[in-house]
Coordinates of all heavy atoms in Angstrom, one line a residue:
L1 N -14.6 2.7 7.8 CA -14.7 1.5 7.1 C -13.8 0.4 7.5 O -14.1 -0.8 7.4 CB -14.4 1.8 5.6 CG -15.2 2.8 4.9 CD1 -14.6 3.2 3.5 CD2 -16.6 2.3 4.7
L2 N -12.6 0.7 8.0 CA -11.6 -0.3 8.2 C -11.0 -0.2 9.6 O -11.0 0.8 10.2 CB -10.4 0.0 7.2 CG -10.8 0.1 5.7 CD1 -9.6 0.5 4.9 CD2 -11.3 -1.3 5.2
I3 N -10.4 -1.3 10.0 CA -9.6 -1.3 11.3 C -8.2 -0.9 11.0 O -7.8 -0.9 9.8 CB -9.7 -2.7 12.0 CG1 -9.0 -3.8 11.1 CG2 -11.1 -3.1 12.3 CD1 -8.8 -5.1 11.9
Q4 N -7.4 -0.6 12.0 CA -6.1 0.0 11.8 C -5.2 -0.9 11.0 O -4.4 -0.5 10.1 CB -5.5 0.3 13.2 CG -4.2 1.1 13.0 CD -4.3 2.4 12.3 OE1 -5.3 3.1 12.4 NE2 -3.3 2.7 11.5
D5 N -5.2 -2.2 11.2 CA -4.4 -3.2 10.5 C -4.7 -3.1 9.0 O -3.7 -3.2 8.2 CB -4.5 -4.6 11.0 CG -3.8 -4.9 12.3 OD1 -3.0 -4.0 12.7 OD2 -4.1 -5.9 12.9
E6 N -5.9 -3.0 8.6 CA -6.3 -2.9 7.2 C -5.8 -1.6 6.6 O -5.3 -1.6 5.5 CB -7.8 -3.0 7.1 CG -8.3 -4.4 7.6 CD -9.8 -4.5 7.9 OE1 -10.4 -3.4 8.0 OE2 -10.3 -5.6 8.1
V7 N -5.9 -0.5 7.3 CA -5.4 0.8 6.9 C -3.9 0.7 6.7 O -3.3 1.2 5.7 CB -5.7 1.9 7.9 CG1 -5.0 3.2 7.5 CG2 -7.2 2.1 8.0
E8 N -3.2 0.0 7.6 CA -1.7 -0.1 7.5 C -1.4 -0.9 6.2 O -0.4 -0.7 5.6 CB -1.2 -0.7 8.7 CG -1.2 0.2 9.9 CD -0.8 -0.4 11.2 OE1 -0.4 -1.6 11.3 OE2 -1.0 0.3 12.3
L9 N -2.2 -2.0 5.9 CA -1.9 -2.7 4.7 C -2.0 -1.9 3.5 O -1.1 -1.9 2.6 CB -2.8 -3.9 4.6 CG -2.7 -4.7 3.3 CD1 -1.4 -5.4 3.1 CD2 -3.8 -5.8 3.2
L10 N -3.1 -1.1 3.4 CA -3.2 -0.2 2.2 C -2.1 0.8 2.1 O -1.6 1.1 1.0 CB -4.6 0.5 2.3 CG -5.8 -0.4 2.2 CD1 -7.1 0.5 2.4 CD2 -5.9 -1.1 0.8
T11 N -1.7 1.4 3.2 CA -0.7 2.4 3.3 C 0.7 1.7 2.8 O 1.4 2.3 2.0 CB -0.5 2.9 4.7 OG1 -1.8 3.5 5.1 CG2 0.6 4.0 4.8
R12 N 1.0 0.5 3.3 CA 2.2 -0.1 2.9 C 2.2 -0.5 1.4 O 3.2 -0.4 0.7 CB 2.4 -1.4 3.8 CG 3.7 -2.1 3.5 CD 4.9 -1.2 3.9 NE 6.2 -1.8 3.7 CZ 6.9 -1.6 2.7 NH1 6.6 -0.7 1.7 NH2 8.1 -2.2 2.6
A13 N 1.0 -0.9 1.0 CA 1.0 -1.3 -0.5 C 1.2 -0.1 -1.4 O 1.9 -0.2 -2.4 CB -0.4 -1.9 -0.7
L14 N 0.6 1.0 -1.0 CA 0.9 2.2 -1.8 C 2.4 2.6 -1.8 O 2.9 3.1 -2.8 CB 0.0 3.4 -1.3 CG -1.5 3.3 -1.6 CD1 -2.2 4.3 -0.8 CD2 -1.8 3.4 -3.0
L15 N 3.0 2.4 -0.7 CA 4.4 2.7 -0.6 C 5.3 1.8 -1.5 O 6.3 2.2 -2.0 CB 4.9 2.5 0.8 CG 6.4 2.9 1.1 CD1 6.6 4.4 0.9 CD2 6.7 2.6 2.6
E16 N 4.8 0.6 -1.8 CA 5.6 -0.4 -2.6 C 5.8 0.2 -4.1 O 6.7 -0.1 -4.7 CB 4.8 -1.7 -2.7 CG 4.9 -2.5 -1.5 CD 6.3 -3.1 -1.2 OE1 6.8 -4.0 -2.0 OE2 6.9 -2.5 -0.3
W17 N 4.9 1.1 -4.5 CA 5.0 1.6 -5.9 C 6.2 2.5 -6.0 O 6.8 2.7 -7.1 CB 3.7 2.4 -6.3 CG 2.6 1.5 -6.6 CD1 1.5 1.3 -5.8 CD2 2.5 0.5 -7.6 NE1 0.7 0.3 -6.4 CE2 1.3 -0.2 -7.5 CE3 3.3 0.2 -8.7 CZ2 0.9 -1.1 -8.4 CZ3 2.9 -0.7 -9.6 CH2 1.7 -1.4 -9.5
G18 N 6.7 3.0 -4.9 CA 7.9 3.8 -4.9 C 9.2 3.0 -4.6 O 10.3 3.6 -4.6
G19 N 9.0 1.7 -4.5 CA 10.1 0.9 -4.2 C 10.3 -0.2 -5.2 O 10.6 0.1 -6.4
P20 N 10.0 -1.5 -4.9 CA 10.3 -2.6 -5.8 C 9.4 -2.7 -7.0 O 9.7 -3.3 -8.0 CB 10.1 -3.8 -4.9 CG 9.3 -3.4 -3.8 CD 9.5 -1.9 -3.6
A21 N 8.2 -2.1 -6.9 CA 7.2 -2.2 -8.0 C 7.6 -1.3 -9.2 O 8.2 -0.2 -9.0 CB 5.8 -1.8 -7.5
H22 N 7.3 -1.7 -10.4 CA 7.6 -0.9 -11.6 C 6.3 -0.7 -12.4 O 5.9 -1.6 -13.1 CB 8.6 -1.7 -12.4 CG 9.9 -2.0 -11.7 ND1 10.8 -1.0 -11.4 CD2 10.3 -3.1 -11.1 CE1 11.8 -1.5 -10.7 NE2 11.5 -2.8 -10.5
C23 N 5.8 0.5 -12.3 CA 4.5 0.7 -13.0 C 4.8 1.5 -14.3 O 5.5 2.5 -14.3 CB 3.6 1.5 -12.1 SG 2.0 1.7 -12.7
S24 N 4.2 1.1 -15.4 CA 4.2 1.8 -16.6 C 3.2 2.9 -16.5 O 2.2 2.9 -15.7 CB 3.9 0.9 -17.8 OG 2.5 0.5 -17.7
D25 N 3.3 3.9 -17.4 CA 2.3 5.0 -17.5 C 0.9 4.4 -17.9 O -0.1 4.8 -17.3 CB 2.7 6.0 -18.6 CG 3.8 7.0 -18.1 OD1 3.8 7.2 -16.8 OD2 4.6 7.4 -18.9

């Protein structure tokens, strides 16, 4: 579906949830 740069964006975005992002239940 995606090119490598797009995959890397999704991967990096998911990583943000373990860092600066604050998600409620």
Side-chain angles (χ1 to χ4, degrees):
L1 300 170
L2 307 171
I3 64 171
Q4 189 59 37
D5 286 346
E6 295 160 351
V7 173
E8 289 171 5
L9 174 63
L10 294 176
T11 303
R12 184 64 179 101
L14 290 169
L15 185 62
E16 287 292 287
W17 288 110
H22 303 285
C23 190
S24 67
D25 284 327

